[in-house]
Amino acid sequence: MGNRLSSHSKTMEVVRKFGFKFTKSLGQNFLIDDNIIDKIVAGANPGSEDNIIEVGPGIGTLTRELASRAKKVVAIEIDKNLIPILDETLSDLENVSVVNEDIMKADIKQIADKYFDGEPFKLVANLPYYITTPIIMRFLEEDVDVTDIVVMVQKEVAERMNANPGKKDYGALSVAVQYHCDTEIVAKVPRHLFVPQPNVDSIVIALRVRPEKKYKTDNEELFFKIVKAAFGQRRKTLLNSLTSMGILDKVEIGKILKESQVEEKRRGETLSLDEYAILANCMNKKLGEV
Ligand code: SAM
């Protein structure tokens, strides 16, 4: 684990050597703390059989520590100005491939097939703040074999992903993530541990993708439509927010809520994922009958 890059002085030495200019709009805040890097690595727990995709390697600080333990690391970086830097900082590691692409446009399945022979992989990253949620949802919703997602994200986003029903942070993102994963807070990271310093604090969160479905939904699309409607109008009762979906009238929605044993005056933020699943299955059954 020699040649660590994660001190302020080492990072600035590399940045100056290459005349690199930080681009704020790309969320370029580089981590400068060994302890946090170690916590991310521990949360990902890469073994010699593990494949890893890292999004946004920056100058390769986390990449080096992952590669020294994992079987293979593919680092996807959008900024072409970082590529010559990575060529140098990762030059002694044979199990790393750097791909110069935008993660939102990259074909993740093709990358996993090409570099990992289609084997499962873990996503590990200090994500760029401006697209944390779309990146995570891409990996969860596409047909790719990701087993663990261990990522640094803005504190508030991590709190939403980790929130339980009834809590103020509980929302559509909590349901979307917890539908697929068990969540675990790995570390809290204050803003002064990055260069340049961002305006927000961060959290490292681990999302453990369940191999089997925990929530049995007959119609996943309808489940998420209901969740969206229920959280879209937070102040409305479920009776009203589900009626405004425009699929069934108030009387029918009232019957479905009763059948699902959900009090019609409750609001979306109080329902557990189990309750949403029951509700969605009842509505799906009813739609099949009409
Ligand atoms: N991993 C480094 C670290 O921990 O110090 C850098 C993390 S920095 C928060 C985010 C990185 O993501 C930057 O290197 C940035 O250029 C890269 N990035 C931003 N948008 C991206 C995108 N759409 N696709 C791939 N990489 C992106």
Side-chain angles (χ1 to χ4, degrees):
M1 253 225 303
N3 305 327
R4 295 188 75 138
L5 299 169
S6 44
S7 68
H8 184 256
S9 58
K10 184 71 197 168
T11 297
M12 290 319 291
E13 186 188 314
V14 172
V15 162
R16 281 198 198 102
K17 180 175 169 191
F18 287 85
F20 176 73
K21 301 262 182 297
F22 290 92
T23 304
K24 202 173 170 198
S25 62
L26 288 178
Q28 289 179 341
N29 305 99
F30 297 168
L31 194 50
I32 46 163
D33 188 81
D34 281 351
N35 185 32
I36 300 297
I37 295 272
D38 290 346
K39 284 187 180 166
I40 300 175
V41 174
N45 192 23
S48 56
E49 292 305 308
D50 281 322
N51 299 304
I52 293 181
I53 288 186
E54 186 193 1
V55 172
I59 61 165
T61 311
L62 176 59
T63 325
R64 290 192 61 80
E65 308 312 314
L66 293 169
S68 66
R69 293 168 173 80
K71 179 176 169 188
K72 174 83 192 164
V73 178
V74 175
I76 303 173
E77 173 57 61
I78 195 172
D79 187 349
K80 67 175 180 354
N81 295 325
L82 286 167
I83 306 303
I85 302 184
L86 291 162
D87 279 347
E88 181 166 309
T89 59
L90 304 174
S91 61
D92 57 327
L93 296 161
E94 284 172 4
N95 59 340
V96 184
S97 297
V98 176
V99 177
N100 185 201
E101 274 192 61
D102 176 348
I103 188 61
M104 294 313 292
K105 294 189 184 139
D107 186 334
I108 302 168
K109 193 168 168 46
Q110 197 185 38
I111 288 174
D113 284 345
K114 177 174 170 187
Y115 293 98
F116 310 144
D117 279 335
E119 286 174 2
F121 65 90
K122 297 176 176 179
L123 168 66
V124 187
N126 170 13
L127 288 176
Y129 290 134
Y130 73 106
I131 40 167
T132 46
T133 306
I135 293 175
I136 293 169
M137 292 321 296
R138 258 206 89 178
F139 280 83
L140 287 179
E141 288 173 349
E142 285 186 20
D143 178 26
V144 293
D145 202 353
V146 61
T147 58
D148 300 78
I149 297 179
V150 180
V151 281
M152 172 118 62
V153 297
Q154 187 177 331
K155 175 172 168 276
E156 290 72 18
V157 176
E159 284 168 349
R160 280 162 52 208
M161 292 194 282
N162 194 49
N164 291 324
K167 301 284 181 229
K168 77 170 179 4
D169 300 318
Y170 185 64
L173 181 64
S174 325
V175 177
V177 166
Q178 292 170 29
Y179 184 76
H180 302 280
C181 312
D182 292 320
T183 62
E184 189 188 314
I185 300 290
V186 174
K188 298 190 172 173
V189 189
R191 63 192 76 183
H192 70 265
L193 299 182
F194 299 88
V195 64
Q197 186 173 308
N199 297 325
V200 292
D201 295 317
S202 296
I203 282 182
V204 180
I205 188 167
L207 313 177
R208 311 293 180 194
V209 183
R210 292 183 212 102
E212 304 291 336
K213 269 181 92 165
K214 179 172 175 187
Y215 302 102
K216 307 273 180 278
T217 49
D218 302 330
N219 180 342
E220 223 165 75
E221 201 185 327
L222 181 64
F223 172 87
F224 284 110
K225 268 191 192 155
I226 290 174
V227 171
K228 197 171 162 207
F231 285 107
Q233 299 159 312
R234 274 180 177 257
R235 276 172 310 182
K236 281 194 178 176
T237 63
L238 276 168
L239 181 64
N240 286 329
S241 57
L242 300 188
T243 304
S244 63
M245 288 169 76
I247 304 179
L248 292 165
D249 66 26
K250 208 169 205 166
V251 176
E252 294 297 337
I253 296 288
K255 284 187 200 160
I256 289 166
L257 286 167
K258 196 161 191 185
E259 203 179 315
S260 313
Q261 297 188 326
V262 174
E263 196 357 80
E264 62 181 35
K265 287 205 168 54
R266 281 176 66 185
R267 286 160 214 274
E269 67 251 36
T270 69
L271 260 63
S272 66
L273 271 81
D274 274 317
E275 288 177 309
Y276 273 115
I278 293 167
L279 189 58
N281 287 345
C282 269
M283 193 187 281
N284 190 49
K285 200 168 118 225
K286 179 71 77 186
L287 289 169
E289 288 165 7
V290 293

